[in-house]
Amino acid sequence: MKWLSTTAAIAGLLSQVAYGAPRFQQRHNSTAWAAQEWDAIVVGAGTAGIIVADRLSEAGKKTLLLELGGPSYGITGGTEKPAWLNGTELSRVDVPGLYKSIFNGGTDLVCPSDVVNAFQACTVGGNSAINAGLYFQPPASDWDDYHPEGWKSADVKDATQRLLNTQPSVTTYSLDGKYYMQTGYEEAKKWLVDAAGFSDVSFNEEPDNKDKVFGRPVYNYINGQRGGPTRTYLQSALARSNFRLQTGARVRHINHIRGVASSVTVEIEGSSIKIPLSSDGRVVLSAGAISSPGLLMHSGIGPLETLSNISTAGLISNNSSSWVVNPLVGEGLFDNPNTFIELSAPTIQSYVQDYNNPIPADRDLYLSTRSGPYAFASQTSAFWAYMPNPDGTRAGVQGTIDSSGYGAYGNNHTITLNIYGTSGLGSAGRVVLSQDGSFIPGPSPGIYYADPRDADNIAKFIYSIFQALPSSTPESLAADGLTPLNLPQNSTVEEIRTYITTPSAYAVGAVQHWSSSCRIGKCVDADTKVMGTKNIHVVDASIISPLTVNPQFGIMIAAEKGAERILGTWNSGIGISL
Protein backbone atom coordinates (compact mmCIF):
# COMPACT_ATOMS: atom_id res chain seq x y z
CA MET A 1 0.00 0.00 0.00
CA LYS A 2 1.28 3.42 -0.86
CA TRP A 3 -0.01 6.37 1.15
CA LEU A 4 -0.59 9.57 -0.78
CA SER A 5 1.00 11.49 2.09
CA THR A 6 1.15 11.11 5.83
CA THR A 7 -0.22 13.12 8.71
CA ALA A 8 3.05 13.18 10.55
CA ALA A 9 6.69 12.46 9.88
CA ILE A 10 7.63 8.79 10.11
CA ALA A 11 10.33 6.97 11.97
CA GLY A 12 13.37 4.69 11.59
CA LEU A 13 16.31 2.80 13.12
CA LEU A 14 18.87 -0.03 12.96
CA SER A 15 22.35 -0.81 14.18
CA GLN A 16 24.13 -3.44 12.10
CA VAL A 17 23.33 -5.30 8.92
CA ALA A 18 22.03 -8.63 10.10
CA TYR A 19 22.29 -10.35 6.75
CA GLY A 20 25.76 -11.55 5.81
CA ALA A 21 26.71 -10.93 2.20
CA PRO A 22 29.37 -9.24 0.08
CA ARG A 23 29.38 -5.49 0.48
CA PHE A 24 27.91 -3.60 -2.45
CA GLN A 25 30.36 -1.45 -4.36
CA GLN A 26 29.46 1.35 -6.72
CA ARG A 27 31.45 0.97 -9.90
CA HIS A 28 31.94 4.26 -11.68
CA ASN A 29 35.69 4.68 -12.01
CA SER A 30 36.35 2.49 -15.07
CA THR A 31 34.28 2.18 -18.24
CA ALA A 32 36.15 -0.84 -19.59
CA TRP A 33 33.06 -2.91 -18.89
CA ALA A 34 31.10 -0.82 -21.39
CA ALA A 35 33.24 -2.00 -24.31
CA GLN A 36 32.73 -5.65 -23.45
CA GLU A 37 30.06 -7.76 -25.11
CA TRP A 38 27.34 -9.06 -22.81
CA ASP A 39 25.10 -12.08 -23.17
CA ALA A 40 22.36 -10.31 -21.26
CA ILE A 41 21.79 -6.63 -20.57
CA VAL A 42 19.06 -6.21 -17.96
CA VAL A 43 17.66 -2.70 -17.59
CA GLY A 44 16.44 -1.92 -14.07
CA ALA A 45 17.78 -3.33 -10.78
CA GLY A 46 14.33 -3.54 -9.24
CA THR A 47 11.93 -6.18 -7.99
CA ALA A 48 12.11 -8.22 -11.20
CA GLY A 49 15.39 -7.16 -12.79
CA ILE A 50 17.57 -8.33 -9.93
CA ILE A 51 16.00 -11.79 -10.02
CA VAL A 52 16.33 -12.11 -13.79
CA ALA A 53 19.96 -10.99 -13.72
CA ASP A 54 20.79 -13.37 -10.90
CA ARG A 55 19.25 -16.37 -12.65
CA LEU A 56 20.83 -15.59 -16.01
CA SER A 57 24.28 -15.15 -14.48
CA GLU A 58 23.75 -18.31 -12.43
CA ALA A 59 23.23 -20.16 -15.72
CA GLY A 60 26.59 -18.89 -16.97
CA LYS A 61 25.44 -15.94 -19.04
CA LYS A 62 27.64 -12.87 -18.87
CA THR A 63 25.14 -10.44 -17.39
CA LEU A 64 25.10 -6.66 -17.01
CA LEU A 65 22.46 -5.13 -14.72
CA LEU A 66 21.95 -1.40 -15.31
CA GLU A 67 20.27 0.89 -12.77
CA LEU A 68 19.57 4.60 -13.09
CA GLY A 69 19.48 5.19 -9.34
CA GLY A 70 21.95 4.57 -6.58
CA PRO A 71 22.21 2.85 -3.19
CA SER A 72 19.19 2.10 -1.03
CA TYR A 73 19.67 -0.47 1.74
CA GLY A 74 22.63 -0.14 4.04
CA ILE A 75 24.13 -3.21 2.44
CA THR A 76 24.22 -1.34 -0.88
CA GLY A 77 25.87 1.71 0.64
CA GLY A 78 22.64 3.59 1.27
CA THR A 79 23.07 6.47 3.71
CA GLU A 80 19.66 8.14 3.89
CA LYS A 81 18.65 7.85 7.54
CA PRO A 82 17.43 9.81 10.55
CA ALA A 83 19.99 10.94 13.11
CA TRP A 84 19.18 8.13 15.50
CA LEU A 85 20.53 5.63 12.94
CA ASN A 86 23.90 7.37 12.76
CA GLY A 87 26.68 5.02 13.68
CA THR A 88 24.86 2.05 12.22
CA GLU A 89 25.25 0.38 8.84
CA LEU A 90 21.55 0.74 8.18
CA SER A 91 19.57 3.18 6.08
CA ARG A 92 15.94 4.27 6.26
CA VAL A 93 15.18 1.53 3.72
CA ASP A 94 16.19 -1.23 6.10
CA VAL A 95 13.67 -0.29 8.80
CA PRO A 96 10.18 -1.58 7.98
CA GLY A 97 8.49 1.05 10.15
CA LEU A 98 10.00 3.91 8.16
CA TYR A 99 8.58 3.10 4.76
CA LYS A 100 5.83 5.75 4.77
CA SER A 101 8.37 8.52 5.32
CA ILE A 102 9.72 7.92 1.82
CA PHE A 103 6.44 9.18 0.35
CA ASN A 104 6.84 12.54 2.07
CA GLY A 105 9.62 13.54 -0.34
CA GLY A 106 13.14 14.66 0.43
CA THR A 107 14.69 11.43 -0.83
CA ASP A 108 16.93 10.32 -3.67
CA LEU A 109 15.23 6.92 -3.80
CA VAL A 110 12.50 7.91 -6.24
CA CYS A 111 12.67 8.66 -9.95
CA PRO A 112 13.27 12.23 -11.13
CA SER A 113 10.38 13.95 -12.87
CA ASP A 114 12.16 13.79 -16.23
CA VAL A 115 12.23 9.98 -16.09
CA VAL A 116 8.62 8.96 -15.41
CA ASN A 117 5.36 10.78 -14.72
CA ALA A 118 4.53 8.68 -11.65
CA PHE A 119 5.83 8.02 -8.16
CA GLN A 120 8.26 5.16 -8.75
CA ALA A 121 11.56 4.09 -7.25
CA CYS A 122 14.85 4.66 -9.05
CA THR A 123 17.27 2.91 -6.73
CA VAL A 124 18.80 -0.50 -6.15
CA GLY A 125 15.84 -2.72 -5.34
CA GLY A 126 13.32 -0.56 -7.18
CA ASN A 127 9.87 -0.44 -5.65
CA SER A 128 10.79 -3.33 -3.35
CA ALA A 129 13.08 -0.84 -1.58
CA ILE A 130 10.33 1.68 -0.84
CA ASN A 131 7.08 -0.26 -0.46
CA ALA A 132 5.58 -1.76 2.69
CA GLY A 133 7.02 -5.20 1.99
CA LEU A 134 3.59 -6.88 1.84
CA TYR A 135 4.19 -10.33 0.37
CA PHE A 136 0.97 -12.18 -0.38
CA GLN A 137 1.12 -15.21 -2.69
CA PRO A 138 -1.37 -14.83 -5.55
CA PRO A 139 -4.13 -17.45 -5.63
CA ALA A 140 -3.89 -20.08 -8.36
CA SER A 141 -6.95 -18.53 -9.98
CA ASP A 142 -4.97 -15.41 -10.85
CA TRP A 143 -2.76 -17.45 -13.17
CA ASP A 144 -5.48 -19.79 -14.42
CA ASP A 145 -8.13 -17.14 -15.13
CA TYR A 146 -6.05 -14.21 -16.39
CA HIS A 147 -2.86 -15.58 -17.95
CA PRO A 148 -2.23 -17.56 -21.15
CA GLU A 149 -0.89 -21.05 -21.73
CA GLY A 150 2.58 -21.49 -20.36
CA TRP A 151 1.77 -19.19 -17.44
CA LYS A 152 -0.98 -21.10 -15.66
CA SER A 153 -0.68 -21.99 -11.98
CA ALA A 154 0.85 -25.38 -12.78
CA ASP A 155 3.42 -23.68 -15.01
CA VAL A 156 4.57 -21.23 -12.34
CA LYS A 157 4.53 -23.76 -9.49
CA ASP A 158 8.27 -24.43 -9.60
CA ALA A 159 9.06 -20.72 -9.99
CA THR A 160 6.94 -20.00 -6.92
CA GLN A 161 8.81 -22.58 -4.91
CA ARG A 162 12.20 -21.24 -6.03
CA LEU A 163 11.08 -17.81 -4.90
CA LEU A 164 9.95 -19.01 -1.49
CA ASN A 165 13.18 -20.98 -1.06
CA THR A 166 15.15 -17.78 -1.68
CA GLN A 167 12.83 -15.25 -0.03
CA PRO A 168 10.55 -16.83 2.60
CA SER A 169 7.49 -14.98 3.83
CA VAL A 170 6.92 -14.16 7.48
CA THR A 171 3.82 -13.66 9.59
CA THR A 172 5.72 -12.93 12.81
CA TYR A 173 7.61 -9.71 12.22
CA SER A 174 8.92 -8.62 15.59
CA LEU A 175 11.78 -10.88 16.62
CA ASP A 176 10.48 -11.07 20.19
CA GLY A 177 7.47 -12.95 18.81
CA LYS A 178 4.96 -10.32 19.91
CA TYR A 179 2.44 -8.33 17.88
CA TYR A 180 2.29 -4.57 18.38
CA MET A 181 -0.29 -1.85 17.64
CA GLN A 182 -3.08 -4.40 17.96
CA THR A 183 -6.12 -2.40 19.06
CA GLY A 184 -7.07 -1.81 15.44
CA TYR A 185 -6.56 -5.46 14.60
CA GLU A 186 -8.84 -6.55 17.42
CA GLU A 187 -11.61 -4.15 16.40
CA ALA A 188 -11.31 -5.17 12.74
CA LYS A 189 -11.49 -8.84 13.65
CA LYS A 190 -14.59 -8.23 15.76
CA TRP A 191 -16.19 -6.43 12.83
CA LEU A 192 -15.23 -8.65 9.91
CA VAL A 193 -14.96 -12.09 11.48
CA ASP A 194 -17.44 -12.01 14.35
CA ALA A 195 -20.09 -9.80 12.72
CA ALA A 196 -19.59 -9.99 8.93
CA GLY A 197 -18.82 -13.72 8.78
CA PHE A 198 -15.32 -13.59 7.28
CA SER A 199 -13.06 -16.57 8.00
CA ASP A 200 -10.01 -15.91 10.17
CA VAL A 201 -7.19 -17.57 8.23
CA SER A 202 -3.42 -17.76 7.85
CA PHE A 203 -2.79 -16.40 4.36
CA ASN A 204 0.38 -18.46 4.08
CA GLU A 205 -1.44 -21.69 4.84
CA GLU A 206 -4.35 -20.92 2.48
CA PRO A 207 -2.94 -18.81 -0.37
CA ASP A 208 -5.72 -19.82 -2.78
CA ASN A 209 -8.49 -18.76 -0.40
CA LYS A 210 -9.26 -15.10 -1.04
CA ASP A 211 -13.04 -14.98 -0.61
CA LYS A 212 -14.34 -13.48 2.63
CA VAL A 213 -11.08 -14.09 4.50
CA PHE A 214 -9.37 -12.00 7.17
CA GLY A 215 -5.96 -12.31 8.79
CA ARG A 216 -2.61 -10.85 9.67
CA PRO A 217 -0.45 -9.44 6.87
CA VAL A 218 2.40 -11.39 5.34
CA TYR A 219 5.72 -9.60 4.78
CA ASN A 220 9.09 -10.36 3.17
CA TYR A 221 11.25 -9.25 6.09
CA ILE A 222 14.54 -10.86 7.04
CA ASN A 223 15.47 -10.84 10.73
CA GLY A 224 13.37 -7.79 11.50
CA GLN A 225 14.63 -5.76 8.52
CA ARG A 226 13.31 -5.16 5.02
CA GLY A 227 13.91 -8.11 2.75
CA GLY A 228 13.43 -8.32 -0.99
CA PRO A 229 15.65 -9.27 -3.94
CA THR A 230 18.40 -6.85 -2.90
CA ARG A 231 18.95 -8.83 0.30
CA THR A 232 18.76 -12.21 -1.42
CA TYR A 233 19.19 -12.60 -5.19
CA LEU A 234 21.51 -9.63 -5.63
CA GLN A 235 23.94 -10.91 -3.03
CA SER A 236 24.41 -14.22 -4.84
CA ALA A 237 24.79 -12.45 -8.18
CA LEU A 238 27.46 -10.08 -6.84
CA ALA A 239 29.60 -13.06 -5.90
CA ARG A 240 29.91 -14.15 -9.56
CA SER A 241 32.64 -12.97 -11.91
CA ASN A 242 30.25 -12.97 -14.90
CA PHE A 243 27.90 -10.44 -13.32
CA ARG A 244 28.13 -6.69 -13.03
CA LEU A 245 25.78 -4.15 -11.45
CA GLN A 246 26.23 -0.63 -12.79
CA THR A 247 24.40 2.18 -11.03
CA GLY A 248 23.96 5.73 -12.27
CA ALA A 249 23.27 4.41 -15.77
CA ARG A 250 20.35 5.86 -17.72
CA VAL A 251 19.39 3.71 -20.70
CA ARG A 252 18.15 5.95 -23.50
CA HIS A 253 17.24 3.37 -26.11
CA ILE A 254 17.88 -0.07 -27.55
CA ASN A 255 19.80 -0.12 -30.83
CA HIS A 256 18.13 -2.56 -33.19
CA ILE A 257 17.19 -3.18 -36.80
CA ARG A 258 13.66 -4.52 -37.17
CA GLY A 259 13.70 -5.99 -33.70
CA VAL A 260 17.18 -7.48 -33.67
CA ALA A 261 19.05 -5.69 -30.90
CA SER A 262 22.81 -5.25 -31.00
CA SER A 263 23.44 -2.80 -28.16
CA VAL A 264 21.92 -0.27 -25.79
CA THR A 265 22.74 3.42 -25.56
CA VAL A 266 23.42 4.56 -22.00
CA GLU A 267 24.17 7.89 -20.37
CA ILE A 268 26.60 7.61 -17.49
CA GLU A 269 28.61 10.33 -15.81
CA GLY A 270 27.64 12.79 -18.52
CA SER A 271 28.73 10.60 -21.44
CA SER A 272 26.68 8.64 -23.93
CA ILE A 273 28.02 5.17 -24.67
CA LYS A 274 26.89 2.07 -26.56
CA ILE A 275 27.11 -1.20 -24.70
CA PRO A 276 27.23 -4.16 -27.10
CA LEU A 277 25.52 -7.52 -26.92
CA SER A 278 27.23 -10.78 -27.77
CA SER A 279 26.24 -12.46 -31.03
CA ASP A 280 23.42 -14.35 -29.31
CA GLY A 281 22.68 -11.79 -26.62
CA ARG A 282 19.43 -10.57 -25.10
CA VAL A 283 18.12 -7.25 -23.80
CA VAL A 284 15.69 -7.59 -20.90
CA LEU A 285 13.68 -4.55 -19.82
CA SER A 286 12.79 -4.60 -16.13
CA ALA A 287 12.29 -0.88 -15.59
CA GLY A 288 8.67 -1.10 -14.47
CA ALA A 289 5.21 -1.04 -16.00
CA ILE A 290 5.51 2.59 -17.12
CA SER A 291 9.20 2.94 -17.93
CA SER A 292 9.67 -0.34 -19.82
CA PRO A 293 6.97 0.46 -22.44
CA GLY A 294 8.31 4.01 -22.57
CA LEU A 295 11.80 2.74 -23.32
CA LEU A 296 10.44 0.48 -26.06
CA MET A 297 8.70 3.47 -27.64
CA HIS A 298 11.88 5.55 -27.52
CA SER A 299 13.62 2.64 -29.23
CA GLY A 300 11.20 2.57 -32.16
CA ILE A 301 9.00 -0.23 -30.84
CA GLY A 302 5.36 0.56 -30.14
CA PRO A 303 2.21 2.15 -31.60
CA LEU A 304 2.80 3.76 -35.00
CA GLU A 305 1.38 7.16 -34.05
CA THR A 306 3.59 7.34 -30.97
CA LEU A 307 6.71 6.38 -32.94
CA SER A 308 5.90 8.96 -35.59
CA ASN A 309 5.53 11.69 -32.97
CA ILE A 310 8.86 10.86 -31.34
CA SER A 311 10.55 10.63 -34.73
CA THR A 312 9.23 14.03 -35.78
CA ALA A 313 10.90 15.47 -32.68
CA GLY A 314 14.16 13.78 -33.68
CA LEU A 315 14.26 11.50 -30.65
CA ILE A 316 14.35 8.09 -32.33
CA SER A 317 17.81 7.10 -33.52
CA ASN A 318 16.75 4.53 -36.14
CA ASN A 319 14.69 5.25 -39.25
CA SER A 320 11.14 4.06 -39.79
CA SER A 321 12.21 1.05 -41.87
CA SER A 322 13.72 -0.42 -38.69
CA TRP A 323 10.72 0.19 -36.45
CA VAL A 324 8.66 -2.57 -34.91
CA VAL A 325 5.05 -1.43 -34.93
CA ASN A 326 3.35 -3.04 -31.95
CA PRO A 327 0.15 -1.24 -30.88
CA LEU A 328 -0.08 -3.24 -27.66
CA VAL A 329 3.10 -1.80 -26.16
CA GLY A 330 1.81 0.21 -23.19
CA GLU A 331 -1.78 -1.01 -23.56
CA GLY A 332 -3.72 -2.24 -20.50
CA LEU A 333 -1.89 -0.23 -17.82
CA PHE A 334 -3.54 -0.94 -14.46
CA ASP A 335 -3.46 0.43 -10.94
CA ASN A 336 -5.75 -0.43 -8.04
CA PRO A 337 -8.53 2.13 -7.50
CA ASN A 338 -8.43 2.85 -3.78
CA THR A 339 -10.37 4.59 -1.04
CA PHE A 340 -9.29 5.51 2.48
CA ILE A 341 -12.02 4.98 5.07
CA GLU A 342 -11.27 6.47 8.47
CA LEU A 343 -12.52 4.37 11.39
CA SER A 344 -12.83 5.28 15.05
CA ALA A 345 -13.55 3.33 18.23
CA PRO A 346 -13.11 4.08 21.95
CA THR A 347 -10.70 1.15 22.28
CA ILE A 348 -8.39 2.26 19.46
CA GLN A 349 -4.92 3.54 20.30
CA SER A 350 -3.42 5.01 17.16
CA TYR A 351 0.29 4.72 16.50
CA VAL A 352 2.35 6.82 14.09
CA GLN A 353 5.92 5.74 13.45
CA ASP A 354 7.98 8.91 13.76
CA TYR A 355 10.97 9.31 11.46
CA ASN A 356 13.08 11.68 13.51
CA ASN A 357 11.84 11.24 17.07
CA PRO A 358 10.59 7.74 17.85
CA ILE A 359 9.45 6.94 21.34
CA PRO A 360 12.76 6.14 23.08
CA ALA A 361 11.61 2.76 24.38
CA ASP A 362 10.40 1.71 20.93
CA ARG A 363 13.58 3.00 19.31
CA ASP A 364 15.78 1.07 21.71
CA LEU A 365 13.68 -2.08 21.40
CA TYR A 366 14.15 -2.11 17.67
CA LEU A 367 17.84 -1.24 17.74
CA SER A 368 18.66 -3.87 20.34
CA THR A 369 16.45 -6.76 19.26
CA ARG A 370 14.71 -5.83 15.96
CA SER A 371 11.44 -5.89 17.83
CA GLY A 372 8.52 -3.57 18.48
CA PRO A 373 6.47 -1.14 16.37
CA TYR A 374 9.33 -0.39 13.98
CA ALA A 375 9.73 -4.05 13.01
CA PHE A 376 6.82 -3.86 10.56
CA ALA A 377 5.22 -1.36 8.21
CA SER A 378 2.07 -0.57 10.25
CA GLN A 379 -0.53 -2.67 8.41
CA THR A 380 -2.11 -4.75 11.16
CA SER A 381 -4.67 -6.77 9.18
CA ALA A 382 -5.85 -7.55 5.67
CA PHE A 383 -8.90 -9.08 4.07
CA TRP A 384 -10.27 -10.15 0.68
CA ALA A 385 -13.52 -10.97 -1.06
CA TYR A 386 -14.90 -11.40 -4.56
CA MET A 387 -17.93 -9.71 -6.05
CA PRO A 388 -19.77 -11.84 -8.65
CA ASN A 389 -20.83 -10.40 -12.00
CA PRO A 390 -23.92 -11.48 -13.97
CA ASP A 391 -21.74 -12.91 -16.77
CA GLY A 392 -20.05 -15.35 -14.38
CA THR A 393 -16.87 -13.36 -13.89
CA ARG A 394 -15.90 -11.80 -10.58
CA ALA A 395 -14.05 -8.77 -9.26
CA GLY A 396 -11.60 -8.93 -6.37
CA VAL A 397 -11.66 -6.48 -3.46
CA GLN A 398 -8.89 -6.12 -0.86
CA GLY A 399 -8.61 -4.18 2.37
CA THR A 400 -5.66 -3.38 4.59
CA ILE A 401 -5.94 -1.64 7.95
CA ASP A 402 -3.26 0.71 9.17
CA SER A 403 -2.34 1.72 12.70
CA SER A 404 -3.31 5.39 12.48
CA GLY A 405 -5.70 7.90 10.96
CA TYR A 406 -5.04 9.87 7.81
CA GLY A 407 -5.50 13.45 6.65
CA ALA A 408 -7.93 15.39 8.82
CA TYR A 409 -8.59 12.33 10.98
CA GLY A 410 -5.60 12.27 13.27
CA ASN A 411 -7.45 11.52 16.49
CA ASN A 412 -5.75 9.02 18.79
CA HIS A 413 -8.75 6.68 18.42
CA THR A 414 -8.62 6.50 14.61
CA ILE A 415 -7.25 3.97 12.13
CA THR A 416 -7.37 3.84 8.33
CA LEU A 417 -8.90 1.19 6.09
CA ASN A 418 -7.45 1.23 2.58
CA ILE A 419 -9.84 -0.61 0.31
CA TYR A 420 -9.32 -1.22 -3.39
CA GLY A 421 -10.32 -3.27 -6.39
CA THR A 422 -7.94 -5.95 -7.60
CA SER A 423 -8.29 -8.81 -10.11
CA GLY A 424 -11.08 -9.01 -12.64
CA LEU A 425 -11.60 -5.26 -12.96
CA GLY A 426 -12.36 -3.86 -16.39
CA SER A 427 -10.74 -0.46 -15.88
CA ALA A 428 -7.36 0.10 -17.50
CA GLY A 429 -5.51 2.68 -19.55
CA ARG A 430 -2.20 2.79 -21.30
CA VAL A 431 1.28 4.27 -21.07
CA VAL A 432 1.41 7.59 -22.89
CA LEU A 433 4.25 10.01 -23.54
CA SER A 434 4.06 13.61 -22.39
CA GLN A 435 3.20 16.20 -25.02
CA ASP A 436 5.66 18.85 -23.84
CA GLY A 437 8.43 17.74 -26.17
CA SER A 438 10.15 15.60 -23.54
CA PHE A 439 8.05 12.50 -24.26
CA ILE A 440 8.23 11.28 -20.67
CA PRO A 441 6.20 8.10 -20.07
CA GLY A 442 3.26 8.16 -17.69
CA PRO A 443 -0.28 6.85 -17.22
CA SER A 444 -3.10 7.98 -19.46
CA PRO A 445 -5.90 9.94 -17.72
CA GLY A 446 -9.09 8.29 -16.52
CA ILE A 447 -7.64 4.87 -15.65
CA TYR A 448 -9.57 4.49 -12.41
CA TYR A 449 -13.21 3.43 -12.78
CA ALA A 450 -13.06 3.62 -16.57
CA ASP A 451 -15.42 0.63 -16.44
CA PRO A 452 -18.50 1.67 -14.42
CA ARG A 453 -18.99 -1.90 -13.23
CA ASP A 454 -15.84 -1.65 -11.11
CA ALA A 455 -17.26 1.24 -9.07
CA ASP A 456 -20.55 -0.62 -8.67
CA ASN A 457 -18.80 -3.72 -7.32
CA ILE A 458 -16.56 -1.87 -4.88
CA ALA A 459 -19.45 0.27 -3.63
CA LYS A 460 -21.63 -2.80 -3.10
CA PHE A 461 -18.84 -4.48 -1.18
CA ILE A 462 -18.29 -1.51 1.12
CA TYR A 463 -22.04 -1.31 1.68
CA SER A 464 -22.19 -5.01 2.58
CA ILE A 465 -19.46 -4.83 5.23
CA PHE A 466 -20.87 -1.58 6.63
CA GLN A 467 -24.03 -3.50 7.48
CA ALA A 468 -22.01 -5.49 10.02
CA LEU A 469 -20.99 -2.33 11.88
CA PRO A 470 -23.04 -0.86 14.74
CA SER A 471 -25.35 1.99 13.78
CA SER A 472 -23.53 5.31 13.94
CA THR A 473 -22.90 8.64 12.29
CA PRO A 474 -19.74 10.75 12.28
CA GLU A 475 -21.51 13.04 14.76
CA SER A 476 -22.81 10.21 16.96
CA LEU A 477 -20.14 7.56 17.35
CA ALA A 478 -20.91 3.98 18.29
CA ALA A 479 -20.30 3.26 21.96
CA ASP A 480 -18.93 -0.18 21.08
CA GLY A 481 -17.30 -0.99 17.76
CA LEU A 482 -16.02 0.97 14.81
CA THR A 483 -17.55 4.14 13.37
CA PRO A 484 -16.70 5.27 9.81
CA LEU A 485 -15.90 8.98 9.91
CA ASN A 486 -15.50 10.18 6.32
CA LEU A 487 -18.10 7.86 4.78
CA PRO A 488 -21.10 7.36 7.10
CA GLN A 489 -22.08 3.84 8.09
CA ASN A 490 -25.65 4.38 6.87
CA SER A 491 -24.59 5.48 3.35
CA THR A 492 -26.49 3.97 0.44
CA VAL A 493 -24.75 2.08 -2.35
CA GLU A 494 -25.19 5.08 -4.63
CA GLU A 495 -23.77 7.46 -2.02
CA ILE A 496 -20.77 5.19 -1.55
CA ARG A 497 -20.30 4.95 -5.31
CA THR A 498 -20.31 8.71 -5.62
CA TYR A 499 -17.80 9.08 -2.79
CA ILE A 500 -15.29 6.53 -4.10
CA THR A 501 -15.37 7.91 -7.65
CA THR A 502 -15.05 11.58 -6.69
CA PRO A 503 -11.39 12.63 -6.41
CA SER A 504 -10.43 13.75 -2.90
CA ALA A 505 -7.70 13.18 -0.34
CA TYR A 506 -9.42 9.88 0.43
CA ALA A 507 -10.61 8.59 -2.95
CA VAL A 508 -9.32 7.96 -6.48
CA GLY A 509 -5.72 8.18 -5.33
CA ALA A 510 -2.85 6.38 -7.03
CA VAL A 511 -1.74 3.26 -5.14
CA GLN A 512 1.24 3.08 -7.53
CA HIS A 513 0.75 -0.66 -8.09
CA TRP A 514 1.29 -0.15 -11.82
CA SER A 515 1.15 -3.32 -13.92
CA SER A 516 -0.18 -5.00 -17.05
CA SER A 517 1.08 -2.58 -19.73
CA CYS A 518 2.83 -5.21 -21.88
CA ARG A 519 0.85 -8.35 -21.18
CA ILE A 520 1.91 -11.90 -21.93
CA GLY A 521 0.19 -13.17 -25.06
CA LYS A 522 -0.45 -9.65 -26.33
CA CYS A 523 2.59 -7.39 -26.10
CA VAL A 524 5.11 -10.15 -25.32
CA ASP A 525 4.97 -13.85 -26.07
CA ALA A 526 5.12 -16.67 -23.53
CA ASP A 527 8.92 -16.39 -23.54
CA THR A 528 8.55 -12.68 -22.60
CA LYS A 529 9.92 -11.65 -26.01
CA VAL A 530 8.38 -8.46 -27.37
CA MET A 531 6.16 -9.32 -30.32
CA GLY A 532 7.94 -8.50 -33.58
CA THR A 533 11.44 -8.62 -32.09
CA LYS A 534 14.09 -11.33 -31.96
CA ASN A 535 15.99 -10.73 -28.75
CA ILE A 536 14.22 -8.00 -26.77
CA HIS A 537 12.33 -9.11 -23.67
CA VAL A 538 10.26 -7.50 -20.93
CA VAL A 539 10.14 -9.03 -17.47
CA ASP A 540 8.54 -6.90 -14.78
CA ALA A 541 5.07 -5.84 -13.66
CA SER A 542 4.27 -4.93 -17.27
CA ILE A 543 3.71 -8.53 -18.32
CA ILE A 544 1.33 -9.74 -15.59
CA SER A 545 -2.41 -9.20 -15.49
CA PRO A 546 -3.96 -7.49 -12.44
CA LEU A 547 -3.65 -9.74 -9.40
CA THR A 548 -5.92 -10.32 -6.42
CA VAL A 549 -3.11 -9.38 -4.03
CA ASN A 550 -0.40 -6.74 -3.74
CA PRO A 551 1.70 -7.26 -6.86
CA GLN A 552 5.18 -7.73 -5.36
CA PHE A 553 5.02 -11.52 -4.90
CA GLY A 554 3.52 -12.02 -8.36
CA ILE A 555 6.17 -9.84 -9.99
CA MET A 556 8.88 -11.92 -8.35
CA ILE A 557 7.24 -15.12 -9.61
CA ALA A 558 7.13 -13.58 -13.08
CA ALA A 559 10.84 -12.80 -12.82
CA GLU A 560 11.68 -16.37 -11.83
CA LYS A 561 9.50 -17.79 -14.59
CA GLY A 562 10.59 -15.18 -17.13
CA ALA A 563 14.27 -15.96 -16.55
CA GLU A 564 13.48 -19.64 -16.98
CA ARG A 565 11.69 -18.99 -20.28
CA ILE A 566 14.46 -16.72 -21.58
CA LEU A 567 17.12 -19.31 -20.80
CA GLY A 568 15.06 -21.83 -22.77
CA THR A 569 15.36 -19.66 -25.89
CA TRP A 570 19.16 -19.70 -25.92
CA ASN A 571 19.37 -22.90 -27.92
CA SER A 572 18.98 -21.20 -31.33
CA GLY A 573 21.31 -18.43 -32.46
CA ILE A 574 19.87 -15.10 -33.52
CA GLY A 575 22.68 -13.93 -35.77
CA ILE A 576 22.87 -10.33 -34.62
CA SER A 577 24.51 -7.82 -36.93
CA LEU A 578 24.15 -4.14 -37.66
Side-chain angles (χ1 to χ4, degrees), residues 143-161:
W143 304 105
D144 295 335
D145 294 348
Y146 306 116
H147 290 84
E149 293 301 319
W151 286 79
K152 301 297 186 181
S153 61
D155 301 313
V156 301
K157 182 179 179 181
D158 290 345
T160 302
Q161 192 56 56

Side-chain angles (χ1 to χ4, degrees), residues 370-383:
R370 298 299 187 271
S371 300
Y374 287 84
F376 76 114
S378 79
Q379 292 83 12
T380 59
S381 61
F383 59 94

Side-chain angles (χ1 to χ4, degrees), residues 286-307:
S286 298
I290 296 177
S291 291
S292 285
L295 186 52
L296 287 174
M297 295 174 194
H298 279 272
S299 302
I301 303 169
L304 179 59
E305 181 180 0
T306 301
L307 302 187

Side-chain angles (χ1 to χ4, degrees), residues 106-127:
T107 176
D108 291 330
L109 300 172
V110 299
C111 298
S113 59
D114 67 341
V115 171
V116 61
N117 282 326
F119 194 101
Q120 296 287 277
C122 282
T123 190
V124 176
N127 287 341

Side-chain angles (χ1 to χ4, degrees), residues 24-41:
F24 170 89
Q25 293 182 351
Q26 295 188 71
R27 303 170 178 179
H28 291 296
N29 296 331
S30 172
T31 57
W33 58 272
Q36 300 174 29
E37 293 185 346
W38 298 88
D39 297 325
I41 298 175

Side-chain angles (χ1 to χ4, degrees), residues 199-266:
S199 298
D200 186 7
V201 303
S202 166
F203 297 128
N204 271 356
E205 294 177 5
E206 301 182 48
D208 293 338
N209 184 5
K210 289 294 182 291
D211 197 7
K212 291 198 72 174
V213 292
F214 169 92
R216 297 186 186 278
V218 181
Y219 291 99
N220 66 351
Y221 304 150
I222 300 173
N223 296 330
Q225 297 173 201
R226 180 188 292 271
T230 302
R231 295 280 306 280
T232 50
Y233 292 89
L234 182 59
Q235 303 310 311
S236 59
L238 287 169
R240 299 188 189 104
S241 61
N242 64 331
F243 171 84
R244 180 183 182 90
L245 168 64
Q246 181 63 49
T247 57
R250 182 170 185 174
V251 177
R252 284 298 188 176
H253 55 262
I254 304 164
N255 301 303
H256 70 96
I257 294 179
R258 292 180 294 279
V260 180
S262 59
S263 62
V264 298
T265 294
V266 180

Side-chain angles (χ1 to χ4, degrees), residues 66-98:
L66 298 173
E67 171 55 43
L68 170 61
S72 51
Y73 300 70
I75 201 171
T76 70
T79 58
E80 283 192 14
K81 64 181 69 178
W84 58 277
L85 282 182
N86 289 342
T88 76
E89 294 185 11
L90 301 165
S91 79
R92 70 192 304 173
V93 170
D94 292 289
V95 186
L98 294 184

